[in-house]
């Protein structure tokens, strides 16, 4: 049994889960889901899609339960505005969280103070990245990509921009309802360049700090945090048989 570290007040925990290593125990993960989640899983296409949903929701429950110090089966996960998942505060302890997955990589981010968003994307060569950029990016971002002559560098830069934008949209709560062309993420380093996202022309909007994530070859990721930077603790979630919960 592994004791999971507690989430500190000023910390962001970023957990990584290897979905390929978890699928052999998918039935054990299912036991942690609520009846409505199990029904939701059963409506999904059998195979990898269903298994990844089940594992992801179980991992999310155990991490939220650990942060709020309750049994993962007692965790309430509901859809808020624009469909973003949320959980109510318990005993005065609030929690923001977000999850993302691509191929066999699942990321879950947790934070107590302010919103958080995370994205991960494995590189896909079959898409026309310039067409996507011209339709979704700012003019400056699209022009920046167009000046890159090395195909591999252009591909990496495209996914760096895309994951930054997705993470900000998810932290904001509007996801892809937020126009990706309404803010620019083309700075080489985002640590000193927080991004302001406006809710409407009459409002000043919110600031988001973005960290690029090193997740290995041919995969990009980004973490966005509202208002101010917090220390990020990167963790690997152990296999389910090591979790501190009775199944």
């Amino acid at each position: 049994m592994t004791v999971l570290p507690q989430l500190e007040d000023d910390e962001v925990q970023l957990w990584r889960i290897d979905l390929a290593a978890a699928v052999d125990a998918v039935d054990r993960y299912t036991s942690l889901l609520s009846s409505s989640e199990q029904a939701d899983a059963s409506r999904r296409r059998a195979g990898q899609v269903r298994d990844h949903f089940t594992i992801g929701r179980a991992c999310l429950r155990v991490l939220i339960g650990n942060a709020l110090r309750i049994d993962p089966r007692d965790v309430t996960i509901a859809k808020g505005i624009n469909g973003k998942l949320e959980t109510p505060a318990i005993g005065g302890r609030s929690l923001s969280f977000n999850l993302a997955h691509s191929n066999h990589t699942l990321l879950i981010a947790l934070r107590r103070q302010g919103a958080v968003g995370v994205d991960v994307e494995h590189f896909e060569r079959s898409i026309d990245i310039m067409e996507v950029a011209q339709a979704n990016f700012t003019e400056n971002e699209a022009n920046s990509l167009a000046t890159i002559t090395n195909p591999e560098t252009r591909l990496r830069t495209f996914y760096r921009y895309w994951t930054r934008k997705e993470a900000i949209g998810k932290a904001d709560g509007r996801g892809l309802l937020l126009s990706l062309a309404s803010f620019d993420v083309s700075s080489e380093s985002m640590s000193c360049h927080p991004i302001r996202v406006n809710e409407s022309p009459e409002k000043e909007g919110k600031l988001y700090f973005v960290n690029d994530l090193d997740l290995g070859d041919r995969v990009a990721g980004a973490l966005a945090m509202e208002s101010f930077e917090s220390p990020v603790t990167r963790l690997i979630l152990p296999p389910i048989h090591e979790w501190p919960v009775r199944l």
Side-chain angles (χ1 to χ4, degrees):
M1 179 181 295
T2 300
V3 176
L4 302 180
Q6 280 298 306
L7 176 65
E8 301 297 331
D9 288 343
D10 63 343
E11 175 190 28
V12 174
Q13 285 185 350
L14 179 65
W15 293 87
R16 184 171 183 172
I17 296 97
D18 181 355
L19 293 168
V23 292
D24 289 342
V26 67
D27 289 344
R28 300 185 71 189
Y29 289 92
T30 300
S31 68
L32 290 176
L33 271 58
S34 68
S35 57
S36 62
E37 289 169 333
Q38 291 183 30
D40 191 359
S42 68
R43 288 191 292 269
R44 296 169 185 264
R45 188 171 70 250
Q48 187 177 98
V49 172
R50 182 182 298 177
D51 291 348
H52 285 185
F53 171 83
T54 299
I55 295 165
R57 193 54 64 92
C59 292
L60 183 61
R61 283 184 162 276
V62 79
L63 292 174
I64 293 175
N66 183 66
L68 297 178
R69 300 177 184 176
I70 61 174
D71 189 289
R73 298 176 185 83
D74 295 332
V75 168
T76 298
I77 299 174
K79 289 185 178 180
I81 298 174
N82 297 320
K84 184 177 182 180
L85 298 179
E86 59 186 25
T87 191
I90 293 181
R93 302 177 72 84
S94 60
L95 187 70
S96 296
F97 64 89
N98 195 232
L99 71 165
H101 96 273
S102 177
N103 286 3
H104 296 292
T105 300
L106 170 67
L107 299 179
I108 296 177
L110 306 169
R111 187 187 189 196
R112 295 198 189 280
Q113 301 180 10
V116 64
V118 66
D119 190 48
V120 57
E121 302 286 345
H122 282 75
F123 295 178
E124 175 55 67
R125 287 189 177 277
S126 64
I127 66 171
D128 185 334
I129 61 173
M130 288 310 305
E131 181 179 343
V132 174
Q134 288 163 3
N136 295 279
F137 288 2
T138 66
E139 182 177 358
N140 181 57
E141 291 163 342
N143 289 340
S144 176
L145 279 178
T147 63
I148 300 173
T149 56
N150 182 284
E152 188 66 23
T153 303
R154 179 185 286 180
L155 186 69
R156 290 183 179 278
T157 303
F158 168 82
Y159 276 105
R160 184 164 68 247
Y161 290 176
W162 184 269
T163 54
R164 288 173 176 179
K165 286 176 174 288
E166 282 267 29
I168 291 170
K170 293 171 75 176
D172 174 80
R174 284 175 282 179
L176 291 178
L177 295 176
L178 174 66
S179 170
L180 297 182
S182 66
F183 56 97
D184 192 289
V185 296
S186 60
S187 296
E188 182 63 27
S189 173
M190 298 296 293
S191 59
C192 298
H193 296 85
I195 302 299
R196 186 174 297 280
V197 175
N198 294 320
E199 297 179 13
S200 69
E202 298 78 26
K203 295 184 179 180
E204 186 178 17
K206 296 178 180 178
L207 281 177
Y208 294 96
F209 290 85
V210 183
N211 290 344
D212 294 323
L213 303 175
D214 182 5
L215 300 171
D217 190 40
R218 310 204 62 72
V219 58
L223 177 72
M225 298 171 282
E226 180 189 347
S227 301
F228 61 90
E229 279 195 291
S230 298
V232 179
T233 305
R234 303 185 186 195
L235 301 152
I236 303 293
L237 190 64
I240 192 169
H241 67 268
E242 296 181 19
W243 286 4
V245 59
R246 190 181 300 278
L247 299 175

